């Protein structure tokens, strides 16, 4: 679904590349969490996937980027938008209409779809993210979590096969963040949408993920099963903020008090701990 | 001391965003304001420097009613760092950004230079001195906004969502930094959703919901109370989730750090297993 080969990218007038020799293959239906310290290239990589880089940002790019069988370099952003949707940190920056319905309609009208199809897609997308009732509400009256769901609906209505989320919960309270994670997991599970999510709140994101990719200084540092990656050497992963239960599990596993691999949630850890106690 | 007496506030007639809020921020306090999106947290702190004036009730900053002082006068004492740094930054270089308020407050050139150097160093921004704030990442912009306020050395430092856009290491640096200036006696108020960040700060929590303060107390009390967590749209810190059920085996509930947790478990696991 996503194929990146030997990608090197440098922003205009930047001295050194933001992405260095990135190779990444993501299959249909995967839920990949992309982690790494600030400035490691996560957002830059996201921008490559719908052609914002290089079509909008310019700069020097070499290598291959293919998304949904389309070569990103030779297709305009407008065409790519129907295959890969981006959702950003702050939903306020993405919503601008007087009603949620108008916001979702905007992208669809730009595709030139007939009105009946537009209405059908709006209803479908709002139901899919669980805010069907808010169709006529003004975006600025919604809670942060509802706004982010509206922003997701705008992207979902374009029926992309890949959705890329760049820190979608940063501005949200924990309860709303959890609800956004569950919504994304549902889109992945029930609609088969391939998900790539940049997220610092690993404790919330990883339990839904099938795979984890860690970036550092423009390259890929680790790629694989989240439990296995987090069970490994902690030192090189310091910058990403290992979830506290995973780190606790790793420390106890080192002393042979409970077996690896590490847990990704408190529930999972508690269950393993009880098992160890009863053995 | 910043004192709010029965403060209510509405942006639109009939829609109260703050409802009858009475509270005190004492000198030297380290306070985290938490609660769901739309609870009124940002509206609350905008009352601290007079950006907003109460519809009812009054706000006193060191006994001065904010209704009778200008924002400029109040800002000298109460420094506010906004949630979105794009709303705050406008200069061509980071250095100018920091100098701007200092000039307005009448500092002389030598002082401006000294203070600029100092805050750039404190927030690891030295390499960006000549950079345009607009070219920085979200997390860096946030630190520039903080630096520009910190430079004029306000008695009360109020920061809206300091952890957004900061990665793990930067957050941990920020926590150390805030804890340190708090220990040195500066009053620090942060608005944040970041439960894990707050869990490892030794601060007090002010929990808001629907325009009211619904609880206030030390981290150990608020972040271990399931009822309050639910009302405030928070989640329990991960390790509290682990230790809460273990409390019947004699473990403490309020465990926030990984090191503390692993020591507690290592000491007791072998004992419990044998027992």
């Amino acid at each position: 679904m996503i194929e990146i080969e030997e990608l090197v990218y440098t922003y205009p007038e930047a001295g050194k590349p933001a992405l260095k020799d990135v190779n990444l293959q993501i299959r249909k239906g995967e839920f990949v969490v992309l982690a790494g310290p600030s400035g490691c290239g996560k957002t830059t990589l996201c921008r490559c996937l719908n052609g914002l880089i290089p079509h909008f940002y310019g700069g020097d790019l070499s290598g291959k980027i293919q998304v949904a069988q389309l070569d990103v370099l030779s297709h305009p952003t407008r065409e790519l938008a129907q295959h890969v949707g981006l959702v950003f940190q702050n939903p306020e920056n993405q919503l601008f209409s007087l009603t949620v319905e108008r916001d979702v309609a905007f992208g669809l009208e730009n595709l030139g779809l007939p009105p009946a199809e537009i209405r059908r897609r709006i209803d479908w997308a709002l139901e899919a993210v669980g805010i069907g009732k808010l169709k006529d509400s003004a975006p600025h009256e919604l809670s942060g979590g509802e706004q982010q769901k509206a922003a997701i609906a705008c992207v979902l209505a374009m029926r992309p096969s890949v959705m890329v989320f760049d820190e979608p919960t940063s501005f949200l309270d924990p309860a709303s963040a959890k609800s956004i994670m569950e919504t994304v997991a549902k889109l992945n599970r029930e609609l088969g949408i391939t998900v790539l999510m940049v997220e610092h709140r690993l404790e919330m994101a990883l339990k839904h993920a099938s795979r984890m990719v860690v970036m550092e200084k423009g390259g890929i540092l680790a790629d694989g099963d989240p439990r296995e990656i987090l069970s490994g050497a902690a030192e090189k992963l310091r910058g990403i903020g290992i979830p506290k239960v995973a780190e606790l599990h790793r420390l106890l596993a080192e002393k042979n008090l409970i077996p690896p691999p590490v847990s990704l949630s408190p529930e999972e850890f508690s269950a393993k701990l009880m098992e160890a106690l009863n053995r | 001391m910043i004192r709010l007496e029965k403060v209510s506030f509405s942006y639109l007639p009939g829609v109260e965003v703050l409802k009858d809020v009475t509270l005190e921020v004492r000198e030297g306090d380290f306070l985290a304001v938490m609660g769901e999106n739309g609870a009124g947290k940002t509206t609350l702190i905008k009352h601290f420097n007079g950006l907003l004036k109460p519809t009812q009730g009054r706000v006193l900053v060191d006994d001065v009613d904010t209704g009778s002082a200008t924002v400029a006068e109040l800002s000298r004492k109460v420094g506010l760092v906004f949630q979105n740094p794009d709303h705050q930054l406008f200069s061509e270089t980071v250095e100018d950004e920091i100098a701007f308020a200092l000039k307005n407050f009448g500092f002389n050139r030598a002082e401006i230079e000294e203070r600029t150097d100092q805050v750039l160093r404190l927030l690891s921004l030295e390499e960006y001195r000549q950079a345009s704030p607009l070219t920085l990442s979200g997390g860096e912009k946030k630190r520039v906004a903080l630096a520009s306020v910190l430079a004029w050395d306000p008695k009360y430092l109020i920061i809206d969502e300091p952890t957004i856009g900061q990665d793990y290491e930067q957050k941990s640096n920020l926590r150390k930094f805030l804890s340190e200036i708090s220990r040195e006696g500066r009053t620090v108020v942060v608005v944040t959703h970041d439960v894990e960040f707050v869990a490892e700060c030794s601060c007090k929590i002010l929990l808001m919901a629907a325009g009211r303060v619904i609880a206030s107390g030390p981290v150990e009390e608020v972040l271990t109370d399931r009822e309050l967590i639910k009302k405030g749209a928070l989640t329990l810190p991960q390790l509290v989730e682990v230790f809460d059920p273990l409390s019947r085996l004699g473990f403490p509930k309020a465990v926030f750090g990984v090191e503390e947790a692993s020591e507690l478990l290592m000491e007791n696991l072998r004992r419990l297993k044998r027992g």
Side-chain angles (χ1 to χ4, degrees):
Chain A
M1 192 51 77
I2 297 177
E3 295 213 24
I4 298 174
E5 281 172 24
E6 292 171 15
L7 174 62
V8 179
Y9 174 72
T10 310
Y11 281 102
E13 292 170 49
K16 52 181 186 200
L19 296 175
K20 292 175 218 161
D21 200 22
V22 171
N23 287 288
L24 184 66
Q25 274 79 39
I26 296 176
R27 288 179 303 277
K28 187 175 163 28
E30 283 195 276
F31 188 136
V32 179
V33 167
L34 182 57
S38 263
C40 70
K42 304 185 296 286
T43 295
T44 304
L45 186 63
C46 291
R47 289 173 179 158
C48 290
L49 296 174
N50 74 340
L52 275 176
I53 287 177
H55 302 315
F56 175 76
Y57 282 93
D60 287 333
L61 189 147
S62 70
K64 184 181 123 181
I65 315 169
Q66 212 181 41
V67 179
Q69 275 114 43
L70 295 174
D71 179 4
V72 170
L73 303 178
S74 60
H75 287 80
T77 307
R78 130 178 70 80
E79 197 185 332
L80 291 163
Q82 297 173 59
H83 300 277
V84 45
L86 255 68
V87 177
F88 301 97
Q89 271 191 2
N90 191 348
E92 280 182 25
N93 295 348
Q94 218 158 341
L95 305 170
F96 51 86
S97 302
L98 291 174
T99 67
V100 169
E101 182 180 27
R102 294 297 316 144
D103 257 320
V104 181
F106 181 78
L108 301 173
E109 285 166 353
N110 280 320
L111 292 182
L113 295 174
E117 172 68 6
I118 291 180
R119 274 193 293 274
R120 216 170 15 246
R121 286 209 197 179
I122 292 172
D123 290 341
W124 170 79
L126 291 176
E127 280 307 322
V129 300
I131 56 165
K133 282 197 216 114
L134 301 176
K135 190 165 146 182
D136 300 317
S137 306
H140 70 86
E141 289 171 351
L142 306 182
S143 75
E146 290 164 348
Q147 285 180 347
Q148 192 58 294
K149 285 181 186 171
I152 293 173
C154 292
V155 173
L156 183 65
M158 311 285 277
R159 292 199 180 266
S161 48
V162 179
M163 289 182 79
V164 178
F165 297 85
D166 192 356
E167 296 188 44
T169 72
S170 298
F171 281 79
L172 304 182
D173 62 59
S176 308
K178 208 170 150 208
S179 166
I180 291 293
M181 290 295 175
E182 279 157 12
T183 303
V184 174
K186 182 175 154 239
L187 298 178
N188 169 256
R189 200 172 54 236
E190 292 176 7
L191 303 174
I193 291 177
T194 307
V195 172
L196 179 67
M197 182 187 280
V198 174
E199 186 56 65
H200 286 304
R201 278 172 157 162
L202 293 178
E203 74 281 4
M204 282 194 187
L206 283 180
K207 64 178 165 197
H208 302 296
S210 55
R211 182 173 157 198
M212 176 182 189
V213 173
V214 183
M215 289 185 70
E216 189 187 62
K217 293 179 184 150
I220 289 177
L221 178 71
D223 180 355
D225 176 74
R227 285 182 181 79
E228 271 170 35
I229 290 181
L230 296 177
S231 300
E235 211 38 50
K236 71 170 186 179
L237 296 173
R238 270 184 74 89
I240 68 166
I242 301 171
K244 287 178 181 171
V245 275
E247 182 61 3
L248 177 60
H249 193 142
R250 196 185 63 78
L251 289 172
L252 295 179
E254 252 176 18
K255 305 269 179 207
N256 290 322
L257 288 167
I258 49 175
V262 301
S263 307
L264 297 179
S265 69
E267 301 79 47
E268 198 183 324
F269 176 79
S270 296
K272 293 252 182 79
L273 188 66
M274 286 306 144
E275 235 173 77
L277 276 176
N278 293 330
R279 206 166 328 120
Chain B
M1 178 161 74
I2 301 177
R3 198 177 144 74
L4 274 69
E5 293 174 356
K6 292 181 179 285
V7 167
S8 295
F9 178 80
S10 316
Y11 290 99
L12 298 169
V15 190
E16 282 196 331
V17 182
L18 292 181
K19 294 170 189 160
D20 197 25
V21 174
T22 295
L23 63 89
E24 282 175 359
V25 182
R26 297 204 185 87
E27 277 159 49
D29 271 357
F30 186 5
L31 193 66
V33 182
M34 305 190 83
E36 63 190 333
N37 291 111
K41 304 183 297 291
T42 298
T43 303
L44 177 79
I45 59 166
K46 284 183 176 167
H47 279 79
F48 290 180
N49 72 343
L51 264 182
L52 295 176
K53 319 272 179 176
T55 318
Q56 278 173 51
R58 60 176 191 160
V59 178
L60 302 170
V61 176
D62 292 345
D63 299 323
V64 175
D65 191 323
T66 59
S68 61
T70 64
V71 178
E73 287 159 2
L74 292 164
S75 294
R76 184 67 186 84
K77 272 191 181 165
V78 186
L80 203 147
V81 184
F82 292 97
Q83 177 171 9
N84 187 342
D86 290 333
H87 295 172
Q88 191 162 351
L89 305 174
F90 54 88
S91 300
E92 289 193 3
T93 67
V94 167
E95 187 176 50
D96 289 350
E97 187 66 52
I98 291 168
F100 178 80
L102 293 176
K103 279 183 200 152
N104 282 323
F105 284 130
F107 288 94
N108 67 38
R109 191 180 293 186
E111 281 170 325
I112 292 177
E113 216 151 279
E114 191 193 321
R115 285 174 178 239
T116 303
D117 285 347
Q118 193 188 2
V119 293
L120 288 176
R121 201 172 48 241
L122 275 174
L123 289 158
S124 321
L125 290 165
E126 286 149 308
E127 60 178 303
Y128 303 115
R129 193 179 188 114
Q130 300 299 333
S132 156
L134 299 179
T135 63
L136 304 179
S137 76
E140 287 156 358
K141 282 182 193 169
K142 200 101 209 190
R143 297 213 298 286
V144 173
L146 173 56
S148 68
V149 172
L150 200 64
W152 78 74
D153 196 22
K155 181 171 164 192
Y156 304 97
L157 180 65
I158 321 291
I159 321 172
D160 202 352
E161 294 286 2
T163 65
I164 290 182
Q166 310 289 337
D167 66 27
Y168 176 76
E169 200 135 14
Q170 290 160 347
K171 269 194 218 176
S172 133
N173 288 340
L174 184 70
R175 183 169 50 232
K176 278 182 213 144
F177 177 73
L178 294 178
S179 303
E180 200 174 301
I181 61 173
S182 155
R183 264 197 306 277
E184 285 165 2
R186 195 188 308 262
T187 310
V188 179
V189 180
V190 294
V191 170
T192 182
H193 290 307
D194 198 325
V195 174
E196 298 293 348
F197 179 79
V198 172
E200 291 195 76
C201 287
S202 32
C203 62
K204 253 179 25 188
I205 294 175
L206 193 79
L207 191 59
M208 293 187 71
R212 294 180 194 276
V213 174
I214 58 166
S216 100
V219 167
E220 304 82 61
E221 274 171 33
V222 178
L223 291 186
T224 52
D225 186 329
R226 281 181 191 270
E227 188 93 358
L228 286 180
I229 292 280
K230 193 151 180 255
K231 282 189 190 155
L234 303 176
T235 47
L236 278 180
Q238 285 205 308
L239 297 178
V240 173
E241 192 93 61
V242 169
F243 277 84
D244 185 46
L246 293 177
S247 59
R248 68 192 159 82
L249 298 174
F251 285 93
K253 248 186 183 182
V255 179
F256 301 120
V258 173
E259 251 168 59
E260 187 194 354
S262 73
E263 273 168 29
L264 272 168
L265 288 177
M266 278 179 200
E267 260 171 45
N268 291 291
L269 263 181
R270 289 199 175 89
R271 177 176 62 81
L272 287 172
K273 254 174 137 168
R274 276 200 304 274

